[in-house]
Amino acid sequence: MRAVVFSRYGDENVLELMERPEPTPADGEILVEVKAAGVNPVDWKHREGAVRNDRPFPLGMGWDVAGVVRSTVPGGPAVGEAVYGMLPLPYGGAYQELCVLPVSAVAPKPVSLSYAEAAAVPLAALTAWQALETAEVTAGLRVLVHAGAGGVGHFAVQLARHLGAHVTATASPHNLEFLRGLGVDEPVDRTTADLAAGEPFDVVLDTVGGLVQHASWRLVRTGGTLITLPEPVNEAHRLPGITAHRVIVTPDGEALRRIGELIDSGAVHVEVQTVLPLQKAAEAHRMSRGGRVRGKLVLGL
Ligand SMILES: NC(=O)c1ccc[n+]([C@@H]2O[C@H](COP(=O)([O-])OP(=O)(O)OC[C@H]3O[C@@H](n4cnc5c(N)ncnc54)[C@H](OP(=O)(O)O)[C@@H]3O)[C@@H](O)[C@H]2O)c1
């Protein structure tokens, strides 16, 4: 089968499209013919060596898939069924014609989505889902989502709105209209806004890290919650009375099934900025690393 792999850590040029042996499912795993693979920042972080695993090179790449079941397990989806799912971190293997993943990590592909759109969903939407769950977001809470137009951000704002929260989200000026279209109550220009001058938030979701995490502490009300994604909670900046967690996404087929229902009902829109062919994986990594993607990038097989 064709697979994008890499044999040393480095820049995009270490990615190679080559013939690899077909993977064999272990107990509890299904084999999926991949129609599309989602691209996430963790992919290039893995390629650069910031996220490592104990397998030998060449290493597989990518965690998001949508495709057709080739072999299954008792109680799993039928052979021939369209599914989408997330491979467990830290072992990638989605940028390839066939992949294996635990049956518990997949759900039926939302019928309203193409394979490319479905592959854009799992890791980013599960991250948003699990972040909102961890923060116990409920109706009426004031939620701030940093980078609301990004992969995680655009799912987080929609899921928070669906829960009935009042949602503020930051973006560059060209993305503010997009945020409005997603239902964001208060789209905020991140290049000019002084959020600290306004009313504090019950929940802040930091999808950026660094200075944004630092600034976020002062945006949470006493008794509120800060959720960070890219980096651990920086204890040096901790303020009293604020709960802070770093969420690490985990595959969850049941949550994907529920997210799929929200997508099919029209409550959640999936934004795919660009679909590139598998051989353009390096270009997809360059774009992702640039940090300006609206919604998601996807590789089509
Ligand atoms: N812990 C976990 O399990 C987990 C899971 C998923 C993701 N993550 C991490 O979370 C981060 C976000 O992931 P993602 O998939 O949403 O990334 P992404 O889609 O690549 O994010 C792109 C967005 O980031 C915004 N952005 C870039 N620089 C910014 C800045 N300095 N301040 C505010 N916004 C900025 C851009 O918005 P504008 O163009 O509008 O400025 C762009 O729309 C990544 O670091 C990723 O590795 C962690």
Side-chain angles (χ1 to χ4, degrees):
M1 64 159 187
R2 291 182 312 139
V4 171
V5 297
F6 63 111
S7 298
R8 63 188 165 85
Y9 296 112
D11 66 15
E12 306 84 36
N13 298 315
V14 302
L15 295 178
E16 291 178 274
L17 181 61
M18 56 164 70
E19 278 298 315
R20 295 288 300 155
E22 294 187 1
T24 311
D27 278 355
E29 288 184 337
I30 63 168
L31 181 69
V32 172
E33 180 188 334
V34 180
K35 299 285 192 188
V39 176
N40 293 285
V42 67
D43 301 6
W44 52 260
K45 293 179 184 180
H46 176 46
R47 191 205 68 226
E48 291 180 355
V51 175
R52 297 193 179 205
N53 63 50
D54 54 7
R55 289 191 182 154
F57 288 120
L59 289 170
M61 178 54 69
W63 280 272
D64 275 339
V65 293
V68 177
V69 176
R70 275 280 199 88
S71 79
T72 190
V73 295
V79 170
E81 194 174 332
V83 292
Y84 73 149
M86 179 195 152
L87 281 70
L89 292 156
Y91 303 111
Y95 295 11
Q96 53 194 53
E97 287 175 314
L98 291 165
C99 89
V100 291
L101 67 177
V103 66
S104 59
V106 298
K109 178 180 80 65
V111 292
S112 60
L113 298 185
S114 65
Y115 284 105
E117 290 165 331
V121 175
L123 190 146
L126 284 172
T127 303
W129 181 276
Q130 291 165 12
L132 298 175
E133 220 167 46
T134 303
E136 299 179 6
V137 170
T138 51
L141 290 193
R142 284 172 47 77
V143 175
L144 169 66
V145 177
H146 284 292
V152 175
H154 91 293
F155 287 120
V157 298
Q158 296 180 86
L159 292 170
R161 281 289 294 131
H162 179 72
L163 291 168
H166 179 277
V167 179
T168 303
T170 64
S172 292
H174 69 279
N175 277 328
L176 296 178
E177 209 41 55
F178 171 64
L179 291 187
R180 231 167 252 122
L182 296 178
V184 171
D185 298 290
E186 290 182 49
V188 168
D189 178 350
R190 72 173 175 89
T191 63
T192 55
D194 178 11
L195 286 163
E199 202 185 320
F201 296 92
D202 298 295
V203 174
V204 174
L205 178 55
D206 163 34
T207 61
V208 182
L211 292 175
V212 170
Q213 187 194 127
H214 190 180
S216 291
W217 286 98
R218 293 188 309 280
L219 305 179
V220 185
R221 71 163 171 80
T222 304
T225 305
L226 171 61
I227 302 286
T228 79
L229 296 174
E231 296 164 0
V233 173
N234 186 336
E235 294 299 335
H237 298 148
R238 179 179 283 280
L239 293 182
I242 294 170
T243 304
H245 302 279
R246 184 192 192 187
V247 167
I248 303 276
V249 62
T250 54
D252 183 343
E254 176 53 24
L256 277 183
R257 193 188 57 73
R258 291 168 64 191
I259 291 166
E261 285 170 1
L262 291 176
I263 291 169
D264 283 338
S265 75
V268 172
H269 161 77
V270 180
E271 179 75 7
V272 175
Q273 178 182 294
T274 312
V275 183
L276 292 162
L278 191 59
Q279 59 269 29
K280 294 271 179 72
E283 188 177 331
H285 277 212
R286 254 190 304 279
M287 291 167 74
S288 175
R289 204 182 193 303
R292 306 311 303 274
V293 174
R294 175 192 283 184
K296 299 286 302 176
L297 299 171
V298 174
L299 299 171
L301 278 88

